[in-house]
Every structure is written in structure tokens, then in C-alpha cells.
Amino acid sequence: MPKKQPIPKKVAKKPAAAIYQFKITLLGIDPKIWRRIQIPDCKLHNLHLHIQAAMGWTNSHFHHFDIKGERHGIPEHLDHDGDGDVVDSKKITVSDIVPSDGKKIAFRYTYDFGDNWEHEVLFEGVIEPDHKTKYPICLEGERACPPEDCGGICGYEYLLEALADPDHKEHQGMREWVGEFDPDKFEPKIATVRMVRGLRG
């Protein structure tokens, strides 16, 4: 089990150069697949990229955030009806959507509208930056991200069933498709590298 990181205490005011801590949990799967990350203030679109990198997704599909009943994302990907009900995630920042007093708030993040991967994004608080730490960073987490395009929750459960049973009719085919996949393996350091490289494009 990874060493648990302390939860930030509520702060009265946002400190200068604040660092924002989030816990991202993939919903509908047990045991839980989750990550805890710390990031500087950034555009909401960059939070999307951080989530992709930390979870292990490849940013191959559309996404959106559902925050206080409003959809946030890339309008040309989401506003199919032309009614302008999508808040452009490249024009607002994390500090625009989280409470300035550091109180916890949770919202949804959906990735891949076919497989429909839903995540809870829990804002855990604001902390002052540690000058010995480089941000963004993935502090901890558990279990591997499902493979892209595996068919959502039901498809992923079927995949795990086939991989676990050498006598399953699709065991060999699934093994060849996913390669060296260990559903229990997760390395925060690798996730951090992905987050940093993601910022660099």
C-alpha cells in the first residue's frame, strides 16, 4: 500500500503561488482506481491534461467537466446544437472554479463519450508550495488505468475476467491486445513524469 499523504487543512485565504490538491477517482469500478495530484493554478483545460496524464489516459477522445450544473470543455467538441451552453475550459482557471477559502468541492469529469469514463474530481484544499518540490506532481494513487477503447466499465470487467483465466476463450487474444498489463500496478513517479511532459506538449 502506498504511504498516505496528509490532506491539506482548510486555509482562510489563497496563499501566493498557491498549489491546488485534487483527488481523482474513476467511478463504477471496485477496487477503486484513483490518483492524488498537486498543481499550480492553470487553465481548466490544463487540469484536464493533468488528469489524463496522472490517470494514464491518452487524450484520444472528447471530454467535459460538469461543475455546478454547467458543462466545461472545448466548445467545438461539445456544442453540437449551437446553443452556446458550454463554458470554454481554455478561458477559465482552476482558481475560478474552486472556493477561495479552500473548502472542499467535488465535480465530475467525463472522458470518452463512447466508453463513458466518469471521474469524481475532489478539490481537497490549497497549500503553500514546497520550494523543494517541483509541480505538477502525482503524490499517490492505486491501480492501473483501464486500457483505452476497452468498452467502458463492462468491457473492462470482461477484459479482467479473460486475462485472469487461461482457459477463457479470449484469454490469448486479450493478452496480445493489452500486452504487459497489470491492473494492480501504479507508479506515482511515472504519473508525475507524464504530467510534466504533458505540460510541455
Side-chain angles (χ1 to χ4, degrees), residues 33 35 142-147 156 159-160 163 175 178-187:
I33 299 172
R35 311 286 186 259
E142 290 186 287
R143 305 189 73 226
C145 183
Y156 182 55
L159 170 66
L160 294 182
L163 292 177
R175 178 61 64 189
V178 297
E180 295 297 324
F181 177 73
D182 181 351
D184 296 319
K185 185 177 180 179
F186 174 68
E187 296 289 344

Side-chain angles (χ1 to χ4, degrees), residues 84-167:
D85 66 343
V86 178
V87 179
D88 191 339
S89 60
K90 293 183 178 180
K91 294 183 178 179
I92 62 171
T93 62
V94 167
S95 56
D96 291 329
I97 64 169
V98 300
S100 59
D101 61 2
K103 289 183 179 179
K104 291 184 178 182
I105 183 176
F107 49 92
R108 292 292 180 92
Y109 168 77
T110 303
Y111 171 62
D112 185 350
F113 303 149
D115 283 2
N116 199 45
W117 298 109
E118 291 195 352
H119 308 67
E120 178 190 69
V121 181
L122 175 64
F123 168 62
E124 294 187 319
V126 181
I127 63 172
E128 294 185 6
D130 180 349
H131 297 294
K132 297 181 180 179
T133 301
K134 294 182 179 180
Y135 302 97
I137 185 172
C138 180
L139 298 173
E140 57 182 347
E142 290 186 287
R143 305 189 73 226
C145 183
E148 292 273 4
D149 303 314
C150 68
I153 294 172
C154 292
Y156 182 55
E157 290 175 345
Y158 183 80
L159 170 66
L160 294 182
E161 178 185 331
L163 292 177
D165 181 5
D167 295 325

